[in-house]
Amino acid sequence: MSTGPRGAIHVRSLTRRFGTFTAVDAISFDVVAGEVFGFLGANGAGKTTAIRMLIGLLAPSAGTASVAGFDVATDAEQVRRRIGYMSQRFSLYED
């Protein structure tokens, strides 16, 4: 997978299933360095699940994504070293 320029986010067909339930269904998008990007949607739309995959806390079931030039599936630690995230609620980290 081409990871593109550092500081960018590249997502292709990112999917997460929990058993037979599909929480995130093949989303694709790019965020260029310096761009402001937001996830908007109703409760249960998959926003938190998508973010958990992008920051390396949850493995994708399918698809690919890179953040800051690093693959979220294989370089999750490198992704986490380069990002900042503050949730509205404490739903991502258990401790």
Side-chain angles (χ1 to χ4, degrees), residues 33-57:
E35 182 177 22
V36 175
F37 181 88
F39 274 128
L40 299 175
N43 290 344
K47 301 177 301 292
T48 299
T49 300
I51 293 293
R52 289 185 66 174
M53 287 188 286
L54 291 174
I55 65 177
L57 291 179

Side-chain angles (χ1 to χ4, degrees), residues 8-53:
I9 302 171
H10 303 278
V11 177
R12 293 293 171 266
S13 300
L14 197 64
T15 300
R16 178 60 194 202
R17 293 181 197 87
F18 296 94
T20 60
F21 176 72
T22 302
V24 176
D25 191 9
I27 62 173
S28 297
F29 61 90
D30 293 301
V31 181
V32 298
E35 182 177 22
V36 175
F37 181 88
F39 274 128
L40 299 175
N43 290 344
K47 301 177 301 292
T48 299
T49 300
I51 293 293
R52 289 185 66 174
M53 287 188 286

Side-chain angles (χ1 to χ4, degrees), residues 34-84:
E35 182 177 22
V36 175
F37 181 88
F39 274 128
L40 299 175
N43 290 344
K47 301 177 301 292
T48 299
T49 300
I51 293 293
R52 289 185 66 174
M53 287 188 286
L54 291 174
I55 65 177
L57 291 179
L58 185 63
S61 300
T64 59
S66 68
V67 175
F70 295 94
D71 186 293
V72 299
T74 60
D75 294 318
E77 183 60 34
Q78 293 299 323
V79 170
R80 286 192 294 273
R81 289 180 184 188
R82 288 164 174 80
I83 63 165

